[in-house]
Amino acid sequence: MEKSAISATAMKEPSMSKDQTKRLLLIDDDPNLILLVKDYLEFRGYQVTTAENGREALDILEQDTPDMIVCDVMMPEMDGYTFVEQVRQKESTNWIPVLFLSAKGQSTDRVKGLNKGADVYMVKPFEPEELVAQVESSLKQTMRYEGYKSKGGDSSSRIQVPYDVTLTPTELKVVQLVSKGMANREIAEELSVSQRTVESHVSNMLGKTDLNNRTELARWAIENKMS
């Protein structure tokens, strides 16, 4: 692996106990990156299964379902785009959060990755601590959604909005990022707009939906699988 693929950083204590262990599927054709990222994630308390390409990963998913997938984009046999598309087509796997790792960092690359079905798009080189933070954020988001469902989130306790609510394409992008736990500043950077513009979109959506705050907006987006 090229030294620039992952930034060096000091290791910290594992962040979870054994009974909280989450299982990750790590997919990359670079054996050195696999080794480093796997070691780092396992040190932080995750159980990690690895695959060299999308086709091998699909075979693994037939036998086991991870809590999250961390996937390279450019790989032989089956690239990350094709892999994620297939993951999203199956009911048994379409809920799994996916984090793309890629050396391609143009905005068009990020947009394509997110449109293909990734929840997070990270560019190499990256800080291991940022990777862990993104993984933890995605897992927490999934847990919140499962919590809503267990409390009757699919019926009477669902967020109620007017039946004729329609969002503009930009508003949809904003609410998807809100549902991922991103702050307005982070959303502004992701969409290459001003923070004031993001705040305006959030305000417009609150008006359209009759919701009270960003938390309710995020819950509405999660319950309706906008993210």
Side-chain angles (χ1 to χ4, degrees):
M1 181 198 67
E2 296 180 4
K3 292 183 179 179
S4 60
I6 181 170
S7 300
T9 187
M11 286 196 172
K12 297 182 179 180
E13 290 301 316
S15 57
M16 63 186 74
S17 60
K18 289 183 179 180
D19 61 341
Q20 297 173 312
T21 298
K22 295 292 185 179
R23 296 175 298 146
L24 308 181
L25 174 58
L26 174 61
I27 314 163
D28 201 297
D29 63 324
D30 183 337
N32 292 319
L33 185 140
I34 282 279
L35 179 62
L36 286 178
V37 175
K38 182 176 185 291
D39 283 351
Y40 192 85
L41 289 171
E42 288 182 339
F43 183 82
R44 295 303 299 269
Y46 294 98
Q47 179 182 326
V48 183
T49 301
T50 64
E52 294 183 357
N53 56 64
R55 194 172 304 282
E56 181 182 337
L58 287 178
D59 291 339
I60 291 173
L61 290 176
E62 290 293 330
Q63 306 298 323
D64 190 32
T65 304
D67 295 292
M68 185 168 178
I69 296 169
V70 179
C71 182
D72 189 20
V73 173
M74 305 307 295
M75 298 179 292
E77 297 291 330
M78 179 184 289
D79 65 17
Y81 297 135
T82 305
F83 168 72
V84 170
E85 285 181 323
Q86 296 202 27
V87 167
R88 293 294 179 241
Q89 289 172 4
K90 294 187 63 175
E91 185 176 353
S92 61
T93 59
N94 63 14
W95 60 271
I96 303 174
V98 176
L99 184 154
F100 265 156
L101 291 175
S102 176
K104 302 176 70 174
Q106 298 296 320
S107 60
T108 53
D109 299 317
R110 293 176 181 268
V111 169
K112 181 178 180 180
L114 295 172
N115 286 340
K116 288 292 185 180
D119 299 279
V120 182
Y121 191 105
M122 287 185 62
V123 179
K124 303 173 184 177
F126 56 89
E127 291 288 345
E129 282 300 311
E130 182 185 0
L131 174 62
V132 171
Q134 292 285 10
V135 167
E136 291 178 350
S137 176
S138 296
L139 290 172
K140 287 176 182 177
Q141 192 68 53
T142 301
M143 291 172 63
R144 283 196 290 270
Y145 176 57
E146 291 301 320
Y148 293 142
K149 290 199 298 182
S150 68
K151 295 178 181 178
D154 290 329
S155 55
S156 60
S157 68
R158 288 173 65 92
I159 287 286
Q160 301 297 314
V161 302
Y163 74 92
D164 58 349
V165 170
T166 58
L167 302 181
T168 67
T170 301
E171 287 173 345
L172 180 58
K173 291 178 183 177
V174 170
V175 79
Q176 287 171 339
L177 296 176
V178 168
S179 73
K180 297 180 191 302
M182 295 178 66
N184 287 347
R185 175 183 55 79
E186 296 172 315
I187 296 173
E189 293 175 355
E190 180 72 21
L191 300 180
S192 298
V193 298
S194 69
Q195 184 170 330
R196 185 178 295 275
T197 297
V198 174
E199 292 169 352
S200 177
H201 285 307
V202 171
S203 178
N204 288 341
M205 286 188 286
L206 290 175
K208 287 181 177 182
T209 58
D210 291 336
L211 299 178
N212 298 309
N213 50 51
R214 295 173 89 261
T215 300
E216 291 186 353
L217 266 181
R219 178 177 168 184
W220 176 58
I222 293 170
E223 289 178 349
N224 289 276
K225 300 183 178 180
M226 298 179 189
S227 57

